[in-house]
Amino acid sequence: MPWIHAINESAAAEFAEDVLNPMHPDKFRTLGVRLRLQSGQRVLDVGAGRCGPARILAREFGCHITAVEPHDVFLNDARERVAAAGLGDRFEFVQSTGADFVIEPESYDAAMCIGASWAWGGL
Ligand SMILES: C[S@@+](CC[C@H](N)C(=O)[O-])C[C@H]1O[C@@H](n2cnc3c(N)ncnc32)[C@H](O)[C@@H]1O
């Protein structure tokens, strides 16, 4: 069965920087500034998609990302794009739903779940 998110996102090919949401990449830059993200800080991204938002934070603020994403096609795309951007040492990839991923809150300085609010089985 097709992955519903892949169908949705195929209509979103015009979105910039692999952000799989109708959000301008500048919003993630603003988010990083407002959070005062620092180099080396750790960000958890649940429902990471192709890691568009996460790559912006890693590249512009130097943070480390744990990217949790259940769909293997998106996760493989993310791995390729992260490697191509030379950011591989800042990423850990986990193939999992949000609900199945055990979060250790002390392990992260910030967490985000953009456009995947059902990741824990409901809003
Ligand atoms: C709208 S996309 C957003 C992707 C990314 N956060 C972004 O903004 O570019 C939603 C993502 O949630 C993922 N997803 C679907 N079900 C999920 C679940 N149960 N737990 C975590 N992620 C899920 C989809 O595969 C897709 O990558």
Side-chain angles (χ1 to χ4, degrees):
M1 177 177 296
W3 185 242
I4 184 69
H5 308 287
I7 297 171
N8 292 345
E9 309 319 341
S10 68
E14 72 275 17
F15 292 155
E17 298 191 43
D18 282 330
V19 174
L20 302 182
N21 268 295
M23 295 174 71
H24 193 283
D26 281 348
K27 282 199 172 176
F28 297 101
R29 294 184 249 280
T30 301
L31 178 69
V33 170
R34 298 261 166 92
L35 286 175
R36 299 188 184 126
L37 277 181
Q38 304 289 319
S39 179
Q41 286 191 314
R42 298 149 306 169
V43 176
L44 172 64
D45 186 6
V46 174
R50 295 192 176 102
C51 285
R55 285 199 329 267
I56 293 169
L57 298 184
R59 184 180 64 234
E60 310 228 351
F61 300 94
C63 44
H64 290 264
I65 309 285
T66 299
V68 177
E69 166 60 46
H71 185 42
D72 58 348
V73 175
F74 284 172
L75 204 57
N76 287 337
D77 286 350
R79 283 194 180 96
E80 286 178 16
R81 287 154 160 87
V82 163
L87 296 170
D89 60 334
R90 295 189 196 158
F91 274 76
E92 173 193 9
F93 300 96
V94 181
Q95 185 173 6
S96 175
T97 64
D100 289 335
F101 179 72
V102 178
I103 298 174
E104 295 173 7
E106 306 77 23
S107 300
Y108 305 102
D109 299 293
M112 62 182 181
C113 178
I114 310 288
S117 51
W118 57 85
W120 289 272
L123 286 174

